[in-house]
Amino acid sequence: MRWENFEDRPADFEKLAKMLIIREHPDAIPIDGRGGDGGVDLRWESPDGLVVFECKKFTRITSTQKRNIKRSLSNAARHDPIRWVLVAPVDPTPALCDWFSNQLAAEVPFPLQWLGRTWLDQRIAANPDIRRATLDGAQVEVFRAVAEARAETDYMLTASDFVSRAMTLQNRANELSPSWNIRWDTETQQLIAAPKTGAAPDEVHIDYELDFPVDEDAQATRRKYEEVVAFGGTITIPPRYVTSISIAGLEALGLEPGPGSLTISSDGDDAGLPMPATLRITGGGQPSTRPLQISLTHREKGTEGITLRGMDSTGLLTTRILLRRRRGQQAEFSVHLNIDDGSGSKVPLSTIDPSGLHRLYELAAGIDADRTMEICFPTDRLSIPITMPAEPEFVNLRNLVGDLLAVRDALGLVLPVPHRWTRSDERNIRFAAQLLRDEPAPLPFPPQLRFTQNPSDHLELSDKLKTDGVSMQISDESLPLTFNGVSFEIGPLWIRLTKLHLEGPEACRETALAGREVECVFTPGPDSAAVASLSPFSP
C-alpha cells in the first residue's frame, strides 16, 4: 500500500482512517474538522470513558510533524479523554517510541497509543470494501459487475439461474460498498439497501422531498411526519407524497433509488431504562388522585425533543410522553393515554390485580378540564394543564372496582375482574360492598313477603293497615349472591320494608272472620323501599 500518495490528500487519508476506526468501533463519532476539530478527528465513548482519535497523513516524522502532533494532543487534553490515539501511516522507530511514550506522554494525565502503517495495512486487507470504495473506484467495479451479470443472461435457462446471478451481483456490491448492505428481494423484484453498522455519516446521507396536498389524509400524514421528526418514532410515507429521494453512497456506486414509500425511523436510546415514574391528577377544587406508577421502557429522539413510552402495572395503560426542551424556557410536555378494555388476549382482565386496576381507573376518572396532570420522575416533577372533559364511564369503572376490592378484602374471596360487567354483577357487588362498609343498602331484587297468620293476629293487623301501605323490619339469614360466576353469602341481615301492600285485603279479612288461617302476600308499591343492613335499624 503506497501511503505516500496521501501526502497531498490529507482529507482523503482522514476519511479512510475514520472508516477503518468506525469499522472497529461502530458507535464512534467522526468530527468534521473544517472549522477546527480541537484535536479530535473521531471520538469514541468506550465503556471506560472517552477515547480520542487524531488522524495524521504523515509518512515520516520530523521536528515539524512532532510540533503538529504535540499541538493536537494539547487541544485534545481539554476534553479529558481516558486515552488519546494517533493514527498515521508510519511505524515508530525506537527513538520515536521514546519520544511518544515517555516525553510526550509525560505532558498529559492519560495514556497514548500509536496506530501506524502496519495496523493500517492489516485493517485495509481485512476490509476490501473500504479499500475499493476509497482507493480503487467502486463505481467502476460495480459497473463491471453489472456488465458481467448482463452478459451472462444470454445463457440463463431457468429462474434459478437468474436468482443465482442476482445473488452474485448482490455479494459483489456488498464487498464494494463500505456503507451499504445490498440485497435482491426475489418476491418484490427490488434492490433493497440498508446502512452497514459503523457506516460513515456522509456516506449514508439521504435527501428527500415531500409534497402533502390539502386533503385530510395528506395533512394527517404531514402532522405525523412532523411529530416523528421533532420527537422521534417511525412513520412510513406513502409513495404519492414522496416526490424525490437522493441517497449518498448508493449514487456513488451507480445505484439510484426508485419510486416507492419512505420509512423514517429515529434511533432508540434505552440508556437508564426502564425508569419509574408516577402520574396523578391535581387541582380543580377536587382531591388529588393517588399516584399511579408507570414504567418508561423506550426513548426516541427527534430534532426538538424526545418521546418516552411505557405502561402501568396492569398493561392496560400505554403512555406516550412528548418532551420538548427549549433553551431558556420551561420544558413542555404532552401526554397521550391509551386505556385498553382488556378484551384482547394479550392482557386478560382476570389475571390483573384489581388494586392496580383501581388506581388506573381512579386516574382516568380524575381527568377533567381545568385540572392538572402531574408527572413525577426520579429527579424531576412536571405539570401539564388538562383541557379535555371528563369521561363519566371511568367514574363508574372506578367505583365498581373499588366495590370489588371492598368485598374481596373483607370476605377473603378470589374475585377475578370480568371482561364485561353484567347488570347482575354490578348490582350484587355494590350491594355487598355497601353492607361491608356498614352502610344501609337497597336490596338487589324486589322483595315479596309471604307468610301465614292466625285469624286474631290478622284481624289486629288489618285494623292497622293504612291505604298508603305498611312498613316493617325483619331479620333474615345470609343472602346468597353471585359475581362473575363466583357464589358467596353475606349476612345475617336486617331488612326494613316500607309501603308494602297486602294483596286482596278484603278476602283475607273475610277468611280471618271465618276463623281460618290467612295466607298473607305483601308486595311493594310504587314508592316502596327495601333496605338491608348488617346491624339492626334504629326504631
Side-chain angles (χ1 to χ4, degrees):
M1 180 75 186
R2 291 190 57 80
W3 296 101
E4 290 76 12
N5 294 339
F6 287 101
E7 286 287 352
D8 299 325
R9 299 156 51 201
D12 290 343
F13 171 76
E14 182 178 314
K15 178 180 178 180
L16 172 61
K18 286 179 178 179
M19 294 173 70
L20 292 173
I21 295 169
I22 291 175
R23 187 60 58 86
E24 296 282 318
H25 307 293
D27 50 350
I29 302 174
I31 305 300
D32 188 344
R34 285 176 289 184
D37 57 24
V40 180
D41 284 328
L42 188 142
R43 55 185 295 138
W44 173 45
E45 293 289 349
S46 75
D48 299 321
L50 175 63
V51 177
V52 169
F53 293 83
E54 181 69 14
C55 304
K56 300 293 186 183
K57 49 84 177 178
F58 306 145
T59 55
R60 58 192 182 91
I61 306 295
T62 66
S63 57
T64 300
Q65 282 78 34
K66 285 183 179 180
R67 286 194 297 272
N68 187 298
I69 294 171
K70 183 177 179 179
R71 184 167 56 252
S72 295
L73 175 61
S74 298
N75 291 332
R78 301 171 186 170
H79 301 278
D80 296 324
I82 64 163
R83 188 167 82 253
W84 185 77
V85 182
L86 173 66
V87 183
V90 55
D91 288 329
T93 63
L96 283 175
C97 280
D98 179 69
W99 168 77
F100 186 80
S101 301
N102 297 319
Q103 301 177 40
L104 194 63
E107 299 185 8
V108 291
F110 46 83
L112 310 183
Q113 183 179 5
W114 187 320
L115 301 179
R117 179 187 291 258
T118 300
W119 182 88
L120 287 166
D121 287 339
Q122 290 175 341
R123 301 275 62 76
I124 281 290
N127 297 278
D129 57 335
I130 294 179
R131 178 182 62 79
R132 287 169 176 157
T134 57
L135 304 176
D136 296 346
Q139 186 172 357
V140 174
E141 291 292 333
V142 170
F143 285 156
R144 185 179 302 148
V146 171
E148 291 175 2
R150 287 175 176 170
E152 291 175 351
T153 57
D154 294 339
Y155 303 99
M156 291 184 186
L157 299 178
T158 65
S160 61
D161 291 327
F162 174 77
V163 173
S164 176
R165 298 301 184 267
M167 293 300 295
T168 299
L169 176 58
Q170 166 187 310
N171 295 335
R172 179 74 63 86
N174 283 333
E175 290 180 1
L176 295 171
S177 173
S179 304
W180 296 90
N181 281 319
I182 302 169
R183 68 180 180 86
W184 177 262
D185 191 318
T186 57
E187 293 185 3
T188 63
Q189 302 294 298
Q190 291 180 336
L191 197 65
I192 299 176
K196 286 183 178 178
T197 301
D202 57 340
E203 293 291 333
V204 297
H205 182 74
I206 300 177
D207 291 317
Y208 56 87
E209 293 182 0
L210 306 176
D211 181 29
F212 297 106
V214 295
D215 63 88
E216 184 177 346
D217 290 343
Q219 292 305 304
T221 303
R222 177 187 62 80
R223 289 190 294 271
K224 175 62 176 177
Y225 161 72
E226 291 174 348
E227 182 181 290
V228 167
V229 171
F231 298 102
T234 300
I235 183 174
T236 297
I237 302 174
R240 60 183 178 275
Y241 306 139
V242 183
T243 57
S244 69
I245 301 177
S246 175
I247 305 179
L250 283 187
E251 293 176 349
L253 296 175
L255 300 172
E256 296 185 2
S261 61
L262 175 65
T263 298
I264 299 173
S265 180
S266 62
D267 291 334
D269 177 14
D270 294 340
L273 300 181
M275 177 176 65
T278 59
L279 306 176
R280 70 169 182 164
I281 309 297
T282 63
Q286 303 178 47
S288 299
T289 64
R290 293 178 299 169
L292 174 71
Q293 181 158 324
I294 60 174
S295 177
L296 300 173
T297 55
H298 296 86
R299 182 192 295 110
E300 296 163 330
K301 293 183 178 180
T303 58
E304 299 182 25
I306 63 174
T307 297
L308 290 168
R309 300 179 187 273
M311 63 178 56
D312 72 327
S313 62
T314 69
L316 299 183
L317 174 68
T318 301
T319 61
R320 183 167 62 98
I321 303 174
L322 305 184
L323 165 61
R324 175 185 282 118
R325 292 199 177 275
R326 295 180 177 176
R327 183 173 297 178
Q329 296 185 7
Q330 185 178 2
E332 298 180 15
F333 281 80
S334 174
V335 176
H336 299 258
L337 306 178
N338 178 28
I339 300 179
D340 190 1
D341 64 1
S343 59
S345 59
K346 183 178 180 181
V347 186
L349 277 176
S350 59
T351 65
I352 293 175
D353 180 6
S355 299
L357 190 61
H358 187 240
R359 288 215 176 190
L360 169 60
Y361 289 148
E362 185 180 75
L363 178 85
I367 295 175
D368 198 0
D370 300 327
R371 302 199 74 192
T372 300
M373 170 74 77
E374 187 178 84
I375 306 177
C376 184
F377 299 98
T379 58
D380 203 358
R381 184 188 299 268
L382 299 142
S383 298
I384 310 163
I386 297 174
T387 58
M388 65 183 70
E391 290 284 349
E393 173 190 4
F394 289 115
V395 175
N396 184 51
L397 289 171
R398 176 200 62 192
N399 295 339
L400 284 173
V401 177
D403 291 341
L404 183 151
L405 287 172
V407 175
R408 183 199 69 171
D409 295 346
L411 302 182
L413 297 173
V414 177
L415 295 176
V417 181
H419 287 305
R420 293 288 183 270
W421 295 71
T422 66
R423 290 186 178 181
S424 174
D425 285 336
E426 293 185 18
R427 184 177 59 245
N428 289 347
I429 205 70
R430 280 178 173 163
F431 172 72
Q434 281 183 274
L435 293 177
L436 292 169
R437 295 190 188 107
D438 201 21
E439 302 171 2
L443 281 175
F445 47 83
Q448 185 183 69
L449 293 181
R450 182 185 297 270
F451 55 89
T452 301
Q453 281 187 308
N454 61 50
S456 60
D457 288 342
H458 185 75
L459 290 174
E460 181 180 353
L461 176 64
S462 65
D463 290 338
K464 296 179 180 179
L465 284 175
K466 298 179 181 179
T467 57
D468 59 350
V470 65
S471 298
M472 63 183 68
Q473 178 173 301
I474 63 174
S475 62
D476 199 358
E477 296 182 355
S478 298
L479 186 67
L481 299 170
T482 301
F483 173 79
N484 194 21
V486 178
S487 298
F488 61 97
E489 292 186 354
I490 188 164
L493 300 177
W494 290 87
I495 301 174
R496 172 181 284 173
L497 306 169
T498 62
K499 297 185 178 180
L500 294 175
H501 294 272
L502 177 65
E503 291 186 356
E506 295 82 2
C508 290
R509 183 174 179 84
E510 290 178 0
T511 301
L513 290 172
R516 300 194 302 272
E517 287 188 340
V518 181
E519 185 164 338
C520 302
V521 178
F522 286 89
T523 57
D527 299 327
S528 293
V531 180
S533 173
L534 293 177
S535 304
F537 294 95
S538 58

